[in-house]
Amino acid sequence: MAHSHASWAFDGPAEAPPSPRTMRTLRKIRSHQVLTTSSALIAQTQSSQSSGARDAENGTAVVLGNATVRTPAHRRARSNSDAAARMAALTAPVPTRRPPRKTGSGIGIKRSPLETFLRDGPQNGQGREGLQELKLLILSCRVDADGDGMSPYRIYLWLVLLNIPPVPTDEYLAFIHRGRSPAYAKIRNDTFRTLATDPLFKRRVTEASLIRLLNAVAWKLHDSKTKRKSRPSSRRREMELLVNTPPRIDEEPEDPGSANSPPVNDSAIYVQGMNVLCAPFLYAARSEVEAFALFHFFVTKECPGYIRGAMDGVHRGLRLVDRCLEIVEPKLAAHLFSKGMYAELYAFPSVLTLCACTPPLPEVLHLWDFLFAYGSHLNIVCIVAQLVRMRDTLLASDNPNKILRNLPPLNAKEIIALTVLLVQRIPSDLYAEMVTHAK
């Protein structure tokens, strides 16, 4: 069994591109060009109405056109003088106009442009142009969701945007059946604290499912590391094998000169904070397999630097927050720096988790729709946008540390709109550093 999603997103040339990582970087640079030409963010809000018959304590309401006729619950015998007229009124033909149907996450015929596009694909069948149109729809139309942030098609939208193929369920189950991974103790130490104050997350996602998913990803990362470390990397390693005294795998030093070793080679199989980064995937997914595919892809392809070594990718991101703030709001940056408030003191969780640490969760999901469409590196600008929205409060405070200890609740619509404006002021060389900072 395997999950499936829109197949048109994976249409492409028969031959694979020579360098997928280079192509992803170029697509993100093009996303920057698209965003810098955007002048406004169009928000679309849809409302649903419902109508029909309902039972009341004193009788039943019957809707006839624009009029409502109530029939009493307890009827008595009536004279024949008005029986015919009453029956004629109750059996009058109902107008053919239908009441409005629920849209969005409910069951209805009418769909939003975004949902229709995701279901039917591009009209001309061109995957590349269709993907660009899909991103523009995300920028102009919010993903339809209920009050809990749940959408029937958001998870497929993410799979399409990140170009993740289906993962067989048996592959995920194989990791589950292997039991505890080497990082199991660390995982159990964090999972019970994951979004502990968010009732929406606690109601939908169990700690057991979070443990299973993180444990499965840890096993896959562990296997990848072990496979790379078991390869002979130098002449010295070959001589050690000849004398039958190979070093232990977990003690073997990395070979910095190996050109074949990708950056994820020295990644940890689990670091603190991965549980929060994983939470929105598991909340939005319709199955653990989908969340597994998304989360593993994200930590190995989109932000491997966040789980590598001393989390150097996160620290680069923190420095980029300070540099971007200096460019877009120099007065605010100077005020914070004069108080010793650098991003490393308050923005570490926001960088590592793509703002998933800041409630409410439904707004996080809307923000992630935007980040997955135009690049997760834009999270750096989203953090700056949150600071800009607090500008007056921070400038008036002699102790900004107390304010920044807990950022205000997310407002995805306003943050995205401000990010689109701020990104136009980011120099191209600094933007290029943002694109690659998590690699």
Side-chain angles (χ1 to χ4, degrees), residues 95-421:
T96 57
R97 182 177 61 87
R98 295 181 179 179
R101 301 289 300 274
K102 289 184 178 181
T103 59
S105 59
I107 301 176
I109 298 176
K110 187 177 179 181
R111 302 187 184 97
S112 69
L114 183 58
E115 183 180 2
T116 300
F117 185 89
L118 186 64
R119 178 183 293 270
D120 301 334
Q123 295 181 357
N124 57 8
Q126 298 295 325
R128 190 176 301 245
E129 291 78 5
L131 185 60
Q132 185 63 31
E133 183 179 353
L134 179 63
K135 293 179 178 180
L136 292 174
L137 283 174
I138 294 173
L139 190 60
S140 60
C141 306
R142 283 168 68 97
V143 173
D144 288 329
D146 59 21
D148 293 346
M150 300 308 302
S151 170
Y153 63 90
R154 169 177 275 130
I155 194 65
Y156 304 112
L157 179 66
W158 290 359
L159 290 165
V160 168
L161 291 172
L162 297 177
N163 197 20
I164 300 177
V167 171
T169 303
D170 290 344
E171 178 182 338
Y172 177 69
L173 292 177
F175 289 119
I176 299 300
H177 294 158
R178 288 171 65 173
R180 300 181 178 184
S181 70
Y184 181 79
K186 294 181 180 179
I187 292 172
R188 287 301 305 270
N189 193 42
D190 287 342
T191 51
F192 73 95
R193 296 179 291 190
T194 305
L195 304 184
T197 60
D198 193 319
L200 296 179
F201 180 77
K202 290 297 183 182
R203 184 166 63 241
R204 178 172 175 83
V205 180
T206 65
E207 184 183 1
S209 62
L210 190 61
I211 293 172
R212 285 193 299 268
L213 181 55
L214 291 171
N215 197 64
V217 172
W219 269 126
K220 192 164 186 176
L221 293 175
H222 174 268
D223 292 349
S224 179
K225 288 186 63 177
T226 303
K227 183 177 180 181
R228 291 189 181 96
K229 288 182 177 182
S230 63
R231 297 174 182 173
S233 58
S234 64
R235 181 65 179 172
R236 179 179 179 181
R237 171 71 186 273
E238 295 176 2
M239 295 300 296
E240 289 175 342
L241 291 175
L242 288 177
V243 297
N244 199 26
T245 57
R248 290 177 54 188
I249 290 179
D250 57 349
E251 296 177 352
E252 181 185 3
E254 295 290 340
D255 182 9
S258 177
N260 297 326
S261 299
V264 78
N265 190 34
D266 60 343
S267 64
I269 62 176
Y270 180 81
V271 296
Q272 189 174 19
M274 285 176 66
N275 56 316
V276 180
L277 183 62
C278 171
F281 290 116
L282 200 53
Y283 182 83
R286 301 170 72 93
S287 71
E288 289 184 19
V289 182
E290 292 171 340
F292 170 78
L294 280 162
F295 182 63
H296 178 264
F297 174 89
F298 197 80
V299 297
T300 57
K301 304 299 182 182
E302 287 291 310
C303 58
Y306 286 5
I307 64 171
R308 184 187 311 124
M311 307 171 77
D312 53 341
V314 179
H315 292 287
R316 284 195 296 268
L318 294 171
R319 290 191 291 269
L320 287 170
V321 171
D322 288 333
R323 292 172 60 187
C324 290
L325 184 62
E326 281 185 298
I327 292 174
V328 301
E329 275 291 344
K331 183 177 180 180
L332 177 59
H335 176 70
L336 293 179
F337 297 165
S338 66
K339 305 295 182 180
M341 290 302 299
Y342 296 91
E344 62 183 5
L345 298 179
Y346 61 86
F348 191 95
S350 297
V351 173
L352 174 61
T353 66
L354 268 68
C355 295
C357 59
T358 306
L361 188 54
E363 293 298 307
V364 173
L365 301 181
H366 283 299
L367 184 64
W368 279 25
D369 296 335
F370 168 74
L371 293 178
F372 292 162
Y374 290 95
S376 57
H377 58 280
L378 287 174
N379 179 54
I380 300 298
V381 188
C382 289
I383 297 173
V384 174
Q386 295 178 67
L387 298 175
V388 173
R389 294 184 67 225
M390 305 166 58
R391 179 179 184 275
D392 294 339
T393 303
L394 291 172
L395 289 176
S397 174
D398 291 332
N399 186 16
N401 179 37
K402 185 177 180 180
I403 300 175
L404 294 175
R405 196 172 300 165
N406 293 302
L407 295 177
L410 285 180
N411 186 320
K413 179 181 176 180
E414 295 186 5
I415 291 174
I416 292 171
L418 187 55
T419 298
V420 172
L421 296 176

